Amino acid sequence: MGTAVKPYGDEDKSKKQEVAEMFNNISKKYDFLNHFLSIGIDKIWRKKAVAQLKDIQPKRLLDLATGTGDFALALLKLNPTEIVGMDISAGMLDVGREKMKQKGVSDIISMQLGDSENLPFEDGYFDGLTVGFGVRNYENLEKGLSEMLRVLRPGGRGVILEFSKPKKFPVKQYYKFHSKYIIPFFGKLFSKDTRAYTYLPDSIQAFPEGKDFEAILTKVGYRNVRSKIVSGGIATIYIGDK
């Protein structure tokens, strides 16, 4: 199971291939655009997501769909011994590795090329894992979520931060305008990839959110599944234990 929406709609390519291509295309401008288009709120969301792992005191952490590593960096607050940031886009990882070098944290955070649906780790290796705005890009959502569960130790925890659709005035109206006009306009202007920033709102529309997504997490085996809405429903933090 996954969402049928793809960045470029090329019949000869899988969603996975297209997502990797899209992020390679926009990797150089991604950080700037991400913070610009979210008005910096994404930093607050990541902080709240990281706080969900605090009580299990994780030492080994995995950040999937890590991109340029912002979530991996936010995880340093938990004082872990190892963080693996994994992504299918080599271009995003190149930017991320440079960032880790500049911040002097390459000894703790390693940036690795890999596929969330076929993780190269043994069962139960990680205490905790995070995914920021990545699961809606999975080609096979249930397979990806199951793989995440496999590499968690018993008692470990997965935290997923994902966009959602606000339901209440005025956030609902603002969000609709922002995603339909602002994001595609500035995304195209700065990244020169016409489709990437129209794919973003399209993929959010297609994603099973809230109780629907909680049900999928429960179905594949996560325990004690719960969620927290942030910024009036623009994003949601999902938490599940193993």
Side-chain angles (χ1 to χ4, degrees), residues 52 157-159 223-228 237-241:
Q52 307 307 317
R157 182 173 297 162
V159 177
R223 296 181 305 107
N224 193 19
V225 173
R226 60 262 190 217
S227 63
K228 294 174 184 290
I237 299 167
Y238 300 93
I239 307 113
D241 300 328

Side-chain angles (χ1 to χ4, degrees), residues 214-228:
E214 284 185 28
I216 296 167
L217 286 169
T218 302
K219 180 187 170 187
V220 300
Y222 290 84
R223 296 181 305 107
N224 193 19
V225 173
R226 60 262 190 217
S227 63
K228 294 174 184 290

Side-chain angles (χ1 to χ4, degrees), residues 93-213:
L93 290 167
D94 286 344
V95 176
R97 284 190 193 101
E98 205 48 51
K99 201 191 282 188
M100 301 310 151
K101 266 188 219 160
Q102 285 170 4
K103 293 183 183 291
V105 292
S106 300
D107 56 327
I108 298 174
I109 301 175
S110 65
M111 304 290 276
Q112 297 183 25
L113 189 67
D115 178 1
S116 304
E117 294 167 34
N118 296 287
L119 295 171
F121 307 107
E122 61 194 61
D123 296 3
Y125 185 79
F126 294 99
D127 303 308
L129 61 79
T130 53
V131 191
F133 314 114
V135 291
R136 73 178 189 288
N137 296 324
Y138 285 9
E139 190 160 51
N140 186 320
L141 183 58
E142 288 186 15
K143 190 181 178 195
L145 295 173
S146 298
E147 267 291 87
M148 287 158 53
L149 189 64
R150 178 184 69 76
V151 301
L152 278 176
R153 65 162 170 79
R157 182 173 297 162
V159 177
I160 296 165
L161 174 61
E162 192 49 87
F163 286 115
S164 42
K165 301 178 279 289
K167 309 290 186 285
K168 292 180 181 174
F169 178 87
V171 184
K172 180 182 176 181
Q173 284 69 15
Y174 168 75
Y175 178 77
K176 261 189 172 174
F177 179 80
H178 190 75
S179 60
K180 194 173 178 183
Y181 300 107
I182 305 290
I183 291 174
F185 176 78
F186 285 105
K188 184 181 169 185
L189 185 70
F190 291 113
S191 77
K192 307 294 184 243
D193 187 317
T194 317
R195 186 66 189 121
Y197 286 89
T198 50
Y199 165 74
L200 175 67
D202 288 351
S203 63
I204 295 165
Q205 283 300 320
F207 186 72
E209 63 174 297
K211 294 293 175 197
D212 293 337
F213 187 59

Side-chain angles (χ1 to χ4, degrees), residues 4-26 191-199 202:
V5 177
K6 297 199 300 183
Y8 305 110
D10 185 338
E11 287 178 16
D12 297 327
K13 290 180 182 172
S14 67
K15 179 173 179 176
K16 204 174 288 182
Q17 288 171 313
E18 288 204 8
V19 166
E21 183 185 333
M22 177 187 77
F23 282 114
N24 285 337
N25 288 345
I26 64 174
S191 77
K192 307 294 184 243
D193 187 317
T194 317
R195 186 66 189 121
Y197 286 89
T198 50
Y199 165 74
D202 288 351

Side-chain angles (χ1 to χ4, degrees), residues 44-58:
I44 298 164
W45 296 342
R46 275 191 285 272
K47 211 173 178 182
K48 287 185 176 181
V50 168
Q52 307 307 317
L53 290 163
K54 199 175 175 187
D55 63 310
I56 64 163
Q57 299 181 316

